[in-house]
Amino acid sequence: MKMKGCLAILSIVLVFSPCFAQKTVNVSAEYMYIAPENVTLEQAKLTALDRAKIQAIADEFGTLVNQSNTTYIENQNSESKINFLSLGGSEVKGEWVETFGEPEYDIAFEQNMLVVHVKVKGQIKESASLKIPLTVQVLCNGTTTQHEREEFRNGDDLFLRFQSPVDGFVAIYLIDYSEQTVFCMLPYSQSPDAVQKIERDKAYIFFSVKEAQPETRDIVDEYILTCNGNIERNDIFVVFSPEEFVKANVSKTELSQPGVLSFNEFNQWLAKTRKQNDKIQLYSKSLTIKN
């Protein structure tokens, strides 16, 4: 990812929970993932880890079947299990809060197939039953809903549409797994605010000077996605709360560049912030970038 111009993400639903005590549990999880031929080792490790976390939450708190086109099959054979685990985090009644230590991977090739076995320990939190939807869309090379994408090409422009039915605050981060680096995309690098304030029912197009309000155009950061190899995976993290919170501490090498921090520093900040504010809701979305 790099900046464009002066400085230089999915149709999804985010939710936050009403204020009451939520059950937290420390868990150990493991999962074995058999990767398709077109999946890289890095992507396979990330997928195995994601599915281990989702399985741990489902085992502890159960699952939700919402009104979507996804079919939930509760069979025990491996194929049905994989289909279920490919569902997003909104399909399980909980969230992964914190990872303890480093995940352990066992990599093997069986019958010419890449097999990744992962073990991970962490803390999970039960979700509340009452939820308020937020609308988030990742847009490619345009700012209308027709430009919604999950796959990008090297050099594509990235925009994000956000709308909330309640007032609140939002921060947006991008994780570059190849560099183990996290970029703070919002609030903008020259913004004086700790996080971006959100007005209820107002549709925002982030990372676009053209779509910004006149009083904020001078500080808007615009981004393009880049790919150094044949294919890369980046994750966008959207953090929302109806109560104000403070973004992660970041380092800046240049005034016109986004703040950065390490992957471990980001995880530590996220775990601490979610423990302090039980109204925070996190959603992550994977983006594929091809050369």
Side-chain angles (χ1 to χ4, degrees), residues 84-149:
F84 163 67
L85 290 177
S86 67
L87 300 176
S90 61
E91 302 294 331
V92 291
K93 296 180 180 179
E95 302 172 83
W96 189 273
V97 177
E98 181 179 7
T99 299
F100 302 147
E102 295 291 333
E104 298 179 6
Y105 293 97
D106 183 15
I107 312 299
F109 287 89
E110 299 179 7
Q111 298 179 350
N112 295 321
M113 293 185 296
L114 172 62
V115 180
V116 178
H117 184 267
V118 63
K119 295 181 180 180
V120 62
K121 296 180 179 180
Q123 184 179 83
I124 60 177
K125 178 176 69 175
E126 187 175 20
S127 295
S129 58
L130 299 178
K131 299 176 180 180
I132 299 176
L134 307 175
T135 300
V136 178
Q137 293 176 295
V138 173
L139 308 174
C140 175
N141 294 333
T143 57
T144 67
T145 56
Q146 287 79 9
H147 294 90
E148 182 181 358
R149 297 288 187 277

Side-chain angles (χ1 to χ4, degrees), residues 180-195:
Q180 289 288 293
T181 300
V182 180
F183 297 89
C184 179
M185 304 177 71
L186 193 78
Y188 297 125
S189 60
Q190 298 186 56
S191 172
D193 300 322
V195 283

Side-chain angles (χ1 to χ4, degrees), residues 16-226:
F16 70 84
S17 306
C19 183
F20 60 84
Q22 294 168 286
K23 181 181 179 182
T24 59
V25 179
N26 293 343
V27 296
S28 297
E30 59 182 289
Y31 187 81
M32 185 176 69
Y33 175 59
I34 302 175
E37 293 181 359
N38 62 341
V39 173
T40 66
L41 175 58
E42 179 183 318
Q43 291 174 316
K45 290 171 66 177
L46 292 170
T47 299
L49 181 60
D50 289 343
R51 294 183 177 184
K53 293 177 179 179
I54 293 173
Q55 183 64 67
I57 297 168
D59 289 345
E60 184 67 33
F61 300 132
T63 62
L64 294 169
V65 181
N66 58 20
Q67 294 181 352
S68 69
N69 295 327
T70 303
T71 300
Y72 170 48
I73 304 173
E74 203 170 10
N75 294 338
Q76 295 301 314
N77 62 75
S78 59
E79 181 177 357
S80 297
K81 188 175 184 181
I82 291 175
N83 288 337
F84 163 67
L85 290 177
S86 67
L87 300 176
S90 61
E91 302 294 331
V92 291
K93 296 180 180 179
E95 302 172 83
W96 189 273
V97 177
E98 181 179 7
T99 299
F100 302 147
E102 295 291 333
E104 298 179 6
Y105 293 97
D106 183 15
I107 312 299
F109 287 89
E110 299 179 7
Q111 298 179 350
N112 295 321
M113 293 185 296
L114 172 62
V115 180
V116 178
H117 184 267
V118 63
K119 295 181 180 180
V120 62
K121 296 180 179 180
Q123 184 179 83
I124 60 177
K125 178 176 69 175
E126 187 175 20
S127 295
S129 58
L130 299 178
K131 299 176 180 180
I132 299 176
L134 307 175
T135 300
V136 178
Q137 293 176 295
V138 173
L139 308 174
C140 175
N141 294 333
T143 57
T144 67
T145 56
Q146 287 79 9
H147 294 90
E148 182 181 358
R149 297 288 187 277
E150 295 182 9
E151 292 190 357
F152 288 72
R153 290 285 181 180
N154 183 47
D156 281 345
D157 295 331
L158 172 69
F159 306 100
L160 188 144
R161 182 178 183 273
F162 184 93
Q163 188 171 6
S164 166
V166 299
D167 294 337
F169 300 86
V170 67
I172 301 174
Y173 298 88
L174 182 139
I175 295 181
D176 183 341
Y177 286 102
S178 63
E179 300 293 336
Q180 289 288 293
T181 300
V182 180
F183 297 89
C184 179
M185 304 177 71
L186 193 78
Y188 297 125
S189 60
Q190 298 186 56
S191 172
D193 300 322
V195 283
Q196 176 70 43
K197 188 175 182 179
I198 297 297
E199 297 179 18
R200 62 183 179 183
D201 301 326
K202 180 178 179 180
Y204 293 82
I205 302 294
F206 293 125
F207 318 135
S208 170
V209 172
K210 181 180 178 181
E211 298 291 340
Q213 296 296 316
E215 63 271 18
T216 63
R217 285 175 184 165
D218 289 343
I219 65 169
V220 170
D221 300 339
E222 294 187 325
Y223 297 98
I224 60 175
L225 292 180
T226 58

